[in-house]
Amino acid sequence: MASDLETCSLLRTLAASKPSGRFLELGTGTGLATIWIASGLDENSSLISIDNKESLMNVATKYINDSKIEFILGDAYEWIKNYQGKKFDFIFADAMPGKYDLFEETIDMLNEGGFYIIDDMLPRPNWPLGHDEKVKYLTNKLEDRNDLVVTQLNWSTGIMIAVKK
Ligand SMILES: C[S@@+](CC[C@H](N)C(=O)[O-])C[C@H]1O[C@@H](n2cnc3c(N)ncnc32)[C@H](O)[C@@H]1O
């Protein structure tokens, strides 16, 4: 489940391009990508990372101690639907909510110039039946939006980077 290290490195590099940025990770897991993203942040940036699985979140909070990061244990579907705070400069959408579900709502949370990043877009032998169709559908949705500038990288696990116009 944890992100590929090449992806993590890319996340850190892109994170460093947003000084004083507001960052969001949907799907903390054990915090691997969280710590990579955090290592690209400057002192004035902040990162919210959310996951609904307590056992995984416990690993992340045990090993990551950084006042710039707010960990939220909760359902990202509810969190996205109820969010009324400031927009983000960087969203790593690494869970169903924010990626295959509530996509539009998540893109609405992006500032102009903000990054929306997803991984795991290249076919894998362990994909469940029908997942390739979901990937195609999401890829088209990203490409079709006039307010996003999108690049697809056939690298690492398959990355899509979109910037909000
Ligand atoms: C691919 S893993 C995240 C991996 C992590 N970003 C990393 O790079 O190490 C997806 C995560 O999404 C979480 N998740 C799934 N459904 C969720 C939901 N409704 N709300 C919050 N988190 C959810 C899972 O518990 C899992 O930890």
Side-chain angles (χ1 to χ4, degrees):
M1 273 197 327
S3 293
D4 184 77
L5 288 182
E6 288 176 328
T7 301
C8 287
S9 174
L10 177 68
L11 291 170
R12 179 177 62 171
T13 297
L14 295 178
S17 75
K18 298 285 180 198
S20 303
R22 292 179 45 76
F23 293 73
L24 173 65
E25 180 186 34
L26 297 165
T28 311
T30 55
L32 181 67
T34 318
I35 196 68
W36 277 84
I37 295 167
S39 64
L41 304 192
D42 73 357
E43 281 309 305
N44 300 316
S45 294
S46 60
L47 166 62
I48 293 174
S49 184
I50 177 164
D51 205 290
N52 64 351
K53 199 154 188 193
E54 192 168 10
S55 56
L56 298 177
M57 185 58 91
N58 284 344
V59 177
T61 53
K62 179 174 177 188
Y63 291 104
I64 303 174
N65 181 13
D66 183 335
S67 60
K68 296 191 290 298
I69 306 173
E70 179 187 354
F71 287 106
I72 297 177
L73 175 61
D75 179 19
Y77 286 97
E78 289 306 311
W79 189 87
I80 293 167
K81 280 191 250 169
N82 294 324
Y83 185 74
Q84 293 188 333
K86 288 186 184 167
K87 294 190 179 202
F88 294 93
D89 303 297
F90 179 117
I91 299 176
F92 178 43
D94 203 18
M96 292 298 276
K99 189 175 178 184
Y100 296 105
D101 299 323
L102 299 182
F103 168 77
E104 276 83 12
E105 290 82 349
T106 304
I107 296 295
D108 282 349
M109 294 197 295
L110 260 187
N111 276 324
E112 272 179 32
F115 288 119
Y116 173 83
I117 306 157
I118 52 178
D119 67 354
D120 296 330
M121 300 299 277
L122 284 176
R124 286 283 178 95
N126 62 349
W127 275 5
L129 199 66
H131 188 68
D132 54 336
E133 288 305 318
K134 280 188 170 180
V135 168
K136 257 186 237 159
Y137 183 70
L138 177 58
T139 302
N140 290 340
K141 269 211 293 198
L142 271 159
E143 301 276 9
D144 285 350
R145 281 191 67 131
N146 295 328
D147 61 343
L148 295 178
V149 181
V150 180
T151 287
Q152 187 161 4
L153 301 176
N154 290 337
W155 171 82
S156 183
T157 60
I159 312 284
M160 288 190 81
I161 304 175
V163 172
K164 184 94 168 274
K165 288 205 275 186

